[in-house]
Amino acid sequence: MIGRLNHVAIAVPDLEAAAGTYRETLGADVSAPLDIPLHGVTVVFVSLPNTKIELVHPLGDASPLAGFLAKNPTGGIHHVCYEVEDILAARDRLKQAGLRVLGDGEPRIGAHGKPVLFLHPKDLQGTLVELEEA
Ligand code: CO
């Protein structure tokens, strides 16, 4: 059911420094920062030939990333995102299999303008998984 790896998100305490490392040291194609108030994050997109890395930093006081960075002050892998063809069908199938969908269970528009959902890490080997309708 899941398709391509859309991106890996890395939470970073210093977005400018992280973007610089990817641009200058790793020689990657790095975007300008983009604020996404709905998700409480600022994102920098790193485009790789076969996928994307998203450097994410908290935006606002209620950011869901604040707790993660408190526990991981130097940053760390926050989630992986898999593409699905039909996000509602995927959600219903996974819920039926006993996986927990975070929030109210309804897809929200993600960083790429497409509907996304997050699945509880305890149900997926300790990994926060985002699904994005491709
Ligand atoms: Co994501």
Side-chain angles (χ1 to χ4, degrees), residues 7 9 54 79 81 118 130:
H7 62 270
E54 294 185 3
H79 65 268
C81 177
F118 286 90
E130 178 180 19

Side-chain angles (χ1 to χ4, degrees), residues 9 37 54 63 68-69 79 83 91-92 94 99 112 123 127:
E54 294 185 3
S63 174
F68 183 90
L69 280 175
H79 65 268
E83 295 180 359
R91 174 197 65 186
D92 293 346
L94 294 173
L99 274 67
H112 316 113
D123 299 333
T127 305

